[in-house]
Amino acid sequence: GESVGLHLPTLSVQEGDNSIINCAYSNSASDYFIWYKQESGKGPQFIIDIRSNMDKRQGQRVTVLLNKTVKHLSLQIAATQPGDSAVYFCAETPNAGNMLTFGGGTRLMVKP
Amino acid sequence: DTAVSQTPKYLVTQMGNDKSIKCEQNLGHDTMYWYKQDSKKFLKIMFSYNNKELIINETVPNRFSPKSPDKAHLNLHINSLELGDSAVYFCASSQERTGYTFGSGTRLTVV
């Protein structure tokens, strides 16, 4: 079946550097994408979302890029801080409000 | 106020037992979900439920059943627990155009 693909690698960055986390998806019907942050012992927390009619969306220190041609999604975190250390997931759904399909997650480790 | 609350936070039980996990949301969302997160952190949908429709992931054993007494609650009942059911279970709710909110999870350990 189609799925959002992202194994669980670890990305280690120095505090203050920019981080880029990538995600590939395979469902061409995906219309709505979300990035989540999950800290140890907590549930996924919403970071930023984007709809398929956009290529880029910016939040506070975060930017999501969507490339529908190659079915690729990325999360950029500017000036990464120790508090950004967590597991990050991309998720997608054909319709906002419906079930989410999650990728496998990336662990971000920020070195002080 | 916690938007999506689950109880208990931790649950340790023996194989073969029947247990329930409760979930409540105070966001007025129409749809609620249960997700399972395994030891490798992979999150997988189990159920999606609103007042009109229950959608079940076909890979979920029928020992698992959602029960919704009202729009704000979606409880998860598990019969005849097995070792492989050990995981963290997350409840979530959503409303179109306002996004999804997750609970803090219930860590189930079957011994």
Side-chain angles (χ1 to χ4, degrees):
Chain A
E2 296 184 299
S3 65
V4 179
L6 183 64
H7 300 291
L8 186 60
T10 296
L11 176 64
S12 184
V13 300
Q14 202 69 38
E15 180 179 358
D17 287 352
N18 296 333
S19 303
I20 300 176
I21 301 172
N22 296 303
C23 177
Y25 66 95
S26 57
N27 186 351
S28 56
S30 297
D31 178 62
Y32 180 58
F33 304 86
I34 310 173
W35 278 100
Y36 283 94
K37 172 185 180 183
Q38 186 179 23
E39 297 174 285
S40 180
K42 297 183 179 179
Q45 297 171 276
F46 173 91
I47 301 174
I48 192 167
D49 60 359
I50 189 168
R51 291 187 183 269
S52 61
N53 60 353
M54 302 173 68
D55 345 36
K56 179 179 179 179
R57 190 161 188 228
Q58 289 183 292
Q60 187 177 12
R61 284 202 305 117
V62 294
T63 301
V64 55
L65 298 177
L66 174 63
N67 185 330
K68 295 180 288 294
T69 302
V70 295
K71 298 190 183 69
H72 184 268
L73 193 68
S74 68
L75 176 70
Q76 300 177 0
I77 305 174
T80 314
Q81 303 169 0
D84 295 328
S85 294
V87 178
Y88 289 81
F89 295 93
C90 64
E92 58 86 12
T93 179
N95 293 296
N98 286 1
M99 292 187 289
L100 293 173
T101 299
F102 279 85
T106 295
R107 185 179 302 279
L108 176 65
M109 297 178 61
V110 182
K111 296 178 287 187
Chain B
D1 283 345
T2 303
V4 179
S5 59
Q6 307 178 216
T7 55
K9 187 169 179 65
Y10 300 96
L11 180 56
V12 181
T13 188
Q14 291 186 326
M15 282 195 318
N17 284 351
D18 302 337
K19 290 292 179 185
S20 295
I21 306 172
K22 295 184 177 181
C23 179
E24 176 182 4
Q25 55 98 0
N26 62 7
L27 299 166
H29 286 172
D30 286 333
T31 307
M32 296 184 72
Y33 311 84
W34 278 102
Y35 286 82
K36 179 181 180 180
Q37 187 171 45
D38 63 22
S39 58
K40 297 182 179 179
K41 296 291 188 182
F42 190 72
L43 275 158
K44 190 172 184 180
I45 183 69
M46 299 178 71
F47 303 102
S48 165
Y49 184 80
N50 62 26
N51 59 2
K52 299 175 183 176
E53 186 177 22
L54 170 65
I55 300 175
I56 304 172
N57 184 320
E58 60 187 13
T59 66
V60 175
N62 58 14
R63 298 181 294 104
F64 290 77
S65 58
K67 305 287 185 186
S68 181
D70 55 58
K71 179 180 168 180
H73 296 82
L74 185 66
N75 303 324
L76 182 64
H77 293 260
I78 316 169
N79 295 324
S80 303
L81 277 155
E82 300 178 357
L83 293 176
D85 297 333
S86 296
V88 181
Y89 292 84
F90 287 99
C91 178
S93 69
S94 76
Q95 185 87 351
E96 190 171 356
R97 303 187 185 282
T98 62
Y100 301 78
T101 303
F102 281 80
S104 58
T106 296
R107 180 175 294 278
L108 171 66
T109 304
V110 182
V111 297

